[in-house]
Amino acid sequence: MKTKLTTILLAATFSFSIPVIANAQQYTATAVTAPADSSIRPFKISIPQAKLDELKRRIAETRFPDQETVKDESQGIQLAQLQALVAYWGKGYDWRKIEKKLNALPQFVTNIDGLDIQFIHVRSKESNALPIILTHGWPGSPLEFLEAIGPLTDPVKYGGKAEDAFDVIIPAIPGYGFSEIPKEQGWNPERVARAWDVLVKRLGYTKYVSEGGDHGSVISDALARQAPTGLLGIHLTMPATIPDELVRPINAGDPVPTGLSADETKAYHALRTFFGRNAAYGGMMVTRPQTTGYLLSDSPSALAAFLYEKIAEWSESDLQPEKVIGRDAILDDITLYWLTNTGASSSRFYWENNNNNFSSKHQKTQEINVPVAISVFPHEIYQAPESWSRAAYPSLYYYHKAAKGGHFAAWEQPQVFTEELRAAFKTIRKDL
């Protein structure tokens, strides 16, 4: 029975959510337009105060479970830690601050393949800026990249050179944030990737690069397999590198096979632990996204617990993500999920992408011919060994171990993340 459950988790856990927001127009003054309209419309956020008041009321009415029976996090986020976060959320946190910050950025919405896609688009003042599309994951959002926008678009101000500049495009995956929630099946990574290519070219670019972690890595892989004209390369922080011969042993929880290097052994241990003990959330979303959504849509504290656990576990923070991301920034992300009611829709992307996204075979990385760059962060779910990475991605041209950071690379370490992108795409700029 244990092996069967683990198999479900390994096969499905990193099928990434393709959530979309229902009724994006209720949060903006933008007029509803016909699906065939390919215009790019300005977007502003204005959450009704009644929704914020309702959130505070629901937080105040939280019924917490009894305390865990262990002295560590092995049963999940500890009661005292979540109670502290929720108490601040209800009495000290102010959504209007992030709303104002977002509204100061160039935000837009455009209809692609029948859905309204909301995105941030910041152009650099540098004439040679390289267009880059940044894709978030779960339990993150476009908010992951906010602190990296400045260093990427204005490198001179942040210790770089003018030739390091990027034009930045940050879309919300359908079913996340302020993008529309799909009402039909089929919005998987391949379809999102095609939409991203349409978006970039609709903005007037003919050449660009793609970057992603978590869902963003999966979508960038899909984009690279499609290899649309103008895609110069991709950068991944969560690459799919598990060799096919190791998928079954990891799945079964087998001892480390003989003959692995130190880096490979470390990765094997990390993956076996992840799939064996920490991947139940993915099994829930990939098999019962709607049932999961009922919980996440009705209780803000349940939503907070579900998202915060992984933010704590996957960040390089000793389970104290406030130290590296910030308490308000974490609550900005959780509140975004709540206000857009995307608990269920974000879960459905896992259902749509019923796959093991760490497996090089399942991700069909051998089919990728577009140049690939990989940055390995020390507290990622697993640190992809260079040997596995080169075998998985024949077109790999850049591999580097970053000094610090975890799964949420840009959110945790925006400067390190920026430096990785500058280095990774340095040689590609010549093709602009």
Side-chain angles (χ1 to χ4, degrees), residues 96-328:
R96 295 301 185 195
K97 291 181 180 179
I98 186 63
E99 184 176 273
K100 181 178 179 181
K101 184 174 183 177
L102 289 169
N103 283 339
L105 294 170
Q107 298 181 98
F108 305 92
V109 64
T110 191
N111 194 280
I112 300 175
D113 197 9
L115 286 183
D116 275 356
I117 304 298
Q118 188 267 341
F119 62 97
I120 297 167
H121 180 208
V122 182
R123 294 183 184 272
S124 173
K125 64 182 179 182
E126 305 296 342
S127 58
N128 67 333
L130 174 63
I132 185 168
I133 186 163
L134 306 173
T135 309
H136 64 89
W138 183 95
S141 67
L143 302 183
E144 293 177 45
F145 299 109
L146 291 187
E147 297 307 314
I149 292 175
L152 288 170
T153 58
D154 192 2
V156 175
K157 183 178 178 180
Y158 292 88
K161 300 177 181 178
E163 56 264 33
D164 294 327
F166 293 87
D167 278 359
V168 172
I169 307 157
I170 310 173
I173 297 171
Y176 278 85
F178 294 107
S179 282
E180 191 178 350
I181 294 174
K183 300 300 189 295
E184 62 180 6
Q185 298 178 33
W187 275 95
N188 53 31
E190 288 73 21
R191 191 169 178 179
V192 176
R194 289 192 293 270
W196 277 193
D197 184 63
V198 171
L199 172 61
V200 172
K201 289 170 180 174
R202 189 171 289 179
L203 291 171
Y205 298 113
T206 57
K207 296 180 179 181
Y208 68 100
V209 294
S210 175
E211 195 287 327
D214 198 270
H215 297 331
S217 286
V218 179
I219 292 167
S220 292
D221 274 348
L223 188 60
R225 287 194 302 272
Q226 294 165 10
T229 302
L231 178 65
L232 301 179
I234 65 171
H235 176 268
L236 310 171
T237 60
M238 197 196 77
T241 69
I242 302 177
D244 191 46
E245 66 272 16
L246 294 181
V247 171
R248 190 210 60 79
I250 291 171
N251 176 27
D254 290 350
V256 179
T258 59
L260 297 186
S261 69
D263 280 354
E264 291 167 350
T265 298
K266 181 180 178 182
Y268 188 96
H269 276 300
L271 287 162
R272 188 175 60 179
T273 298
F274 172 75
F275 286 116
R277 297 188 60 84
N278 300 322
Y281 76 96
M284 292 167 63
M285 292 193 285
V286 81
T287 59
R288 292 294 185 270
Q290 192 67 18
T291 302
T292 303
Y294 296 131
L295 174 71
L296 304 182
S297 295
D298 188 62
S299 169
S301 294
L303 175 69
F306 200 64
L307 274 59
Y308 180 77
E309 178 186 275
K310 295 309 172 191
I311 294 172
E313 186 177 295
W314 296 343
S315 58
E316 190 177 33
S317 64
D318 294 323
L319 299 177
Q320 301 290 329
E322 295 86 351
K323 294 179 180 178
V324 295
I325 297 173
R327 184 172 57 177
D328 280 15

Side-chain angles (χ1 to χ4, degrees), residues 334-365:
I334 295 171
T335 307
L336 179 63
Y337 276 83
W338 175 262
L339 294 174
T340 56
N341 194 17
T342 48
S345 57
S346 59
S347 297
R348 289 191 202 109
F349 194 62
Y350 283 78
W351 189 87
E352 289 281 359
N353 181 29
N354 189 349
N355 201 356
N356 171 17
N357 297 136
F358 289 140
S359 163
S360 60
K361 181 178 180 180
H362 289 165
Q363 278 297 96
K364 302 178 181 178
T365 60

Side-chain angles (χ1 to χ4, degrees), residues 56 59 64 82-93 327:
K56 299 287 187 181
I59 291 172
F64 288 100
L82 187 71
Q83 283 180 323
L85 180 75
V86 170
Y88 175 74
W89 194 16
K91 295 183 178 179
Y93 171 77
R327 184 172 57 177

